[in-house]
Amino acid sequence: MTKKIMIISLVCVFTSNLSFSQKLNYFDLKYLFEHSVDEANDYVIKKGFEFYKTEIEENGIDKSMSWAFQRNTYSDGADYFITKYKLDANTGFIWYQLVDVKTFDQIKSYCKSIGFKITNSEISPLGDLCATYENSKFKIDFCSGVNSKSNKNIYFITFNDK
């Protein structure tokens, strides 16, 4: 009887760990920003993301790497994307796309609780509502809108150095 309970418990732990692993938090975004792309890759792979693509800008200098969580290979869409712009630690920015408003609000609330202050609020050229929060070291943009292809609500968080 105890063996069955232990097996059921382990299955529940592994299942819940996998299903919530794509939900990154403030510390995950900060980690990705503060580490190299190789370390970031190892980190997000452990969270269930998979390699999506790399890009090199026309100047040949600016590079980025993106990962997706459960990407649909037919539509090339996913509910969660994360991109590290610039491959070195503490450069560029981290861009996180998600469809989960609860996680979006939790990250925003946490930032406010540790002293981030709103510095700007605007409607983007794409019609998204965006708010910028800053502390002495970082700037974080929180944007919400609707995906024109899927008609789903979509949220973006951009984590920058100041």
Side-chain angles (χ1 to χ4, degrees), residues 29-152:
L29 299 176
K30 186 173 182 269
Y31 179 91
L32 296 172
F33 179 80
E34 293 178 333
H35 289 81
S36 71
V37 72
D38 185 52
E39 294 165 311
N41 183 61
D42 292 344
Y43 190 83
V44 296
I45 295 296
K46 289 177 184 171
K47 296 241 176 223
F49 283 77
E50 294 179 338
F51 170 80
Y52 175 57
K53 66 181 176 179
T54 57
E55 290 187 69
I56 299 174
E57 297 295 321
E58 289 179 18
N59 64 17
I61 298 168
D62 295 325
K63 300 172 183 158
S64 66
M65 184 165 178
S66 299
W67 302 267
F69 184 82
Q70 295 182 337
R71 182 174 62 94
N72 180 327
T73 56
Y74 295 106
S75 70
D76 205 27
D79 289 342
Y80 299 86
F81 286 100
I82 186 101
T83 299
K84 181 170 178 63
Y85 288 89
K86 302 266 189 172
L87 305 183
D88 297 324
N90 295 302
T91 61
F93 60 92
I94 302 299
W95 179 82
Y96 179 37
Q97 174 195 305
L98 60 159
V99 295
D100 178 32
V101 70
K102 187 175 179 182
T103 300
F104 178 82
D105 287 340
Q106 285 172 343
I107 294 171
K108 190 176 189 180
S109 293
Y110 180 76
C111 288
K112 289 179 190 180
S113 77
I114 61 170
F116 279 81
K117 302 290 183 206
I118 190 163
T119 58
N120 190 31
S121 186
E122 65 184 3
I123 303 295
S124 79
L126 299 174
D128 300 329
L129 172 62
C130 295
T132 302
Y133 287 80
E134 296 183 31
N135 70 6
S136 61
K137 191 171 180 182
F138 299 112
K139 178 176 104 170
I140 304 176
D141 295 309
F142 293 92
C143 298
S144 55
V146 175
N147 182 313
S148 60
K149 289 181 183 176
S150 68
N151 209 29
K152 286 183 182 180

Side-chain angles (χ1 to χ4, degrees), residues 18-30:
L18 181 61
S19 66
F20 293 110
S21 60
Q22 77 282 5
K23 295 180 181 179
L24 302 179
N25 60 40
Y26 170 83
F27 296 104
D28 296 322
L29 299 176
K30 186 173 182 269

Side-chain angles (χ1 to χ4, degrees), residues 7-17:
I7 290 172
I8 290 171
S9 297
L10 286 174
V11 168
C12 289
V13 166
F14 289 125
T15 304
S16 67
N17 223 4

